[in-house]
Amino acid sequence: MKSYAKIRFYWGAFVISTIVAVGMIPLITIFPKYKGIIMHKLNRVILFFMGAKLKTFGKRDEKANLFLINHQGIMDIIALEAVENTHFRWVAKKELFDALWFGYLLKNGDMIEVDRDSKAGLIKLLKDVKESIEVKKRAVAIFPEGTRAKGQKLLPFKPGAKIVANKLKMRVQPIVITGSKNVLNEHIKTGHSGTIDIHYLDAFDVEDAPKSWYEDTKEKMQEVIDKEEKKGIYR
């Protein structure tokens, strides 16, 4: 079983890399106006070849312009892009923009690059998010944990998302994803067929929310993760 899980991991990595290199990058470069639908369709193809299914709970708030999402690995992005067809503007660390294939995808997809080691990084993030919602009319998606988590407990949320949301008076919707690590676990390099659950939590305007909204959101997201764990579904 362990050997089979290892094979499925490398099969999944091959599927993702191939479709990104051969399909996504050329198509969004040639047809930039259709990035959303291209990403939506091709990510569904990835899930098909990996034996993964999607299940959603709740629904997206169309007025929300900032989505806070827990993070386990690349399958989080693939799953959400497969559900949505409006092409989120993802916030990603600077190092990923230099990665083979995926760097091209991020650049050609017009994603937001953030340098966490630079003092000017937050100022640039604020400027880019403002441009995204006011000029590009694209909702922003961010992983407030800042990196992939190994366990069930959410990592401490980085302050950047809170600062930006408060400054721009954004409408926030938290999203909890579970089951993605079972499909492709990048920490121990295993893969399985399975279902990825996407939970849309209630959206809110930070302007009308209590000052502790960021901490409260983390608690609510953790509650969903804990309930899923009791059912044998891990994030």
Side-chain angles (χ1 to χ4, degrees):
M1 288 294 291
K2 290 184 178 179
S3 297
Y4 182 66
K6 289 288 185 182
I7 292 172
R8 287 202 67 118
F9 171 81
Y10 288 108
W11 164 250
F14 170 76
V15 168
I16 294 169
S17 299
T18 301
I19 292 179
V20 167
V22 178
M24 289 182 184
I25 293 174
L27 288 175
I28 67 173
T29 302
I30 298 171
F31 306 106
K33 291 183 179 180
Y34 303 100
K35 288 178 183 177
I37 193 65
I38 290 170
M39 297 297 289
H40 171 67
K41 294 293 186 182
L42 290 182
N43 277 301
R44 294 189 75 87
V45 171
I46 289 174
L47 293 177
F48 173 78
F49 280 111
M50 293 180 68
K53 297 180 180 179
L54 296 172
K55 184 183 291 185
T56 60
F57 301 85
K59 62 180 181 179
R60 174 180 174 178
D61 186 312
E62 296 299 331
K63 294 182 180 180
N65 50 23
L66 179 64
F67 293 87
L68 302 180
I69 310 158
N70 62 304
H71 192 31
Q72 295 76 232
I74 194 170
M75 293 307 299
D76 302 327
I77 300 172
I78 291 171
L80 203 52
E81 289 279 1
V83 169
E84 304 289 345
N85 61 8
T86 54
H87 198 33
F88 288 129
R89 200 168 185 218
W90 294 87
V91 176
K93 59 184 179 182
K94 183 177 182 293
E95 294 83 352
L96 293 178
F97 282 77
D98 297 324
L100 181 65
W101 301 131
F102 295 104
Y104 287 106
L105 184 63
L106 290 170
K107 292 171 185 175
N108 289 7
D110 192 26
M111 302 307 174
I112 297 175
E113 176 183 339
V114 60
D115 186 352
R116 294 185 296 187
D117 297 324
S118 170
K119 293 182 179 180
L122 183 59
I123 297 174
K124 180 182 180 299
L125 176 62
L126 183 62
K127 178 183 177 182
D128 287 343
V129 172
K130 183 177 182 180
E131 179 188 42
S132 183
I133 61 176
E134 294 182 359
V135 180
K136 298 179 182 294
K137 306 299 180 182
R138 286 175 65 185
V140 175
I142 190 168
F143 298 121
E145 295 170 278
T147 190
R148 297 171 297 169
K150 293 183 179 180
Q152 289 297 101
K153 293 297 179 183
L154 290 168
L155 299 176
F157 280 11
K158 304 293 184 184
K162 181 180 181 180
I163 294 171
V164 169
N166 284 338
K167 185 71 174 179
L168 299 179
K169 299 178 180 179
M170 303 181 78
R171 183 167 178 80
V172 175
Q173 184 168 30
I175 297 176
V176 175
I177 300 176
T178 57
S180 62
K181 193 185 291 185
N182 177 60
V183 173
L184 195 77
N185 190 320
E186 297 168 45
H187 295 291
I188 60 175
K189 292 181 170 54
T190 58
H192 303 85
S193 59
T195 300
I196 300 174
D197 294 341
I198 299 176
H199 303 258
Y200 292 90
L201 279 59
D202 293 336
F204 58 90
D205 294 302
V206 297
E207 192 174 17
D208 301 325
K211 290 183 179 180
S212 61
W213 69 265
Y214 201 50
E215 295 74 21
D216 295 343
T217 296
K218 182 175 181 288
E219 289 184 11
K220 291 177 181 177
M221 293 174 70
Q222 186 65 59
E223 287 175 4
V224 175
I225 292 170
D226 292 342
K227 288 180 181 178
E228 289 291 283
E229 183 180 8
K230 289 179 181 178
K231 295 186 290 185
I233 302 172
Y234 300 91
R235 81 180 187 120

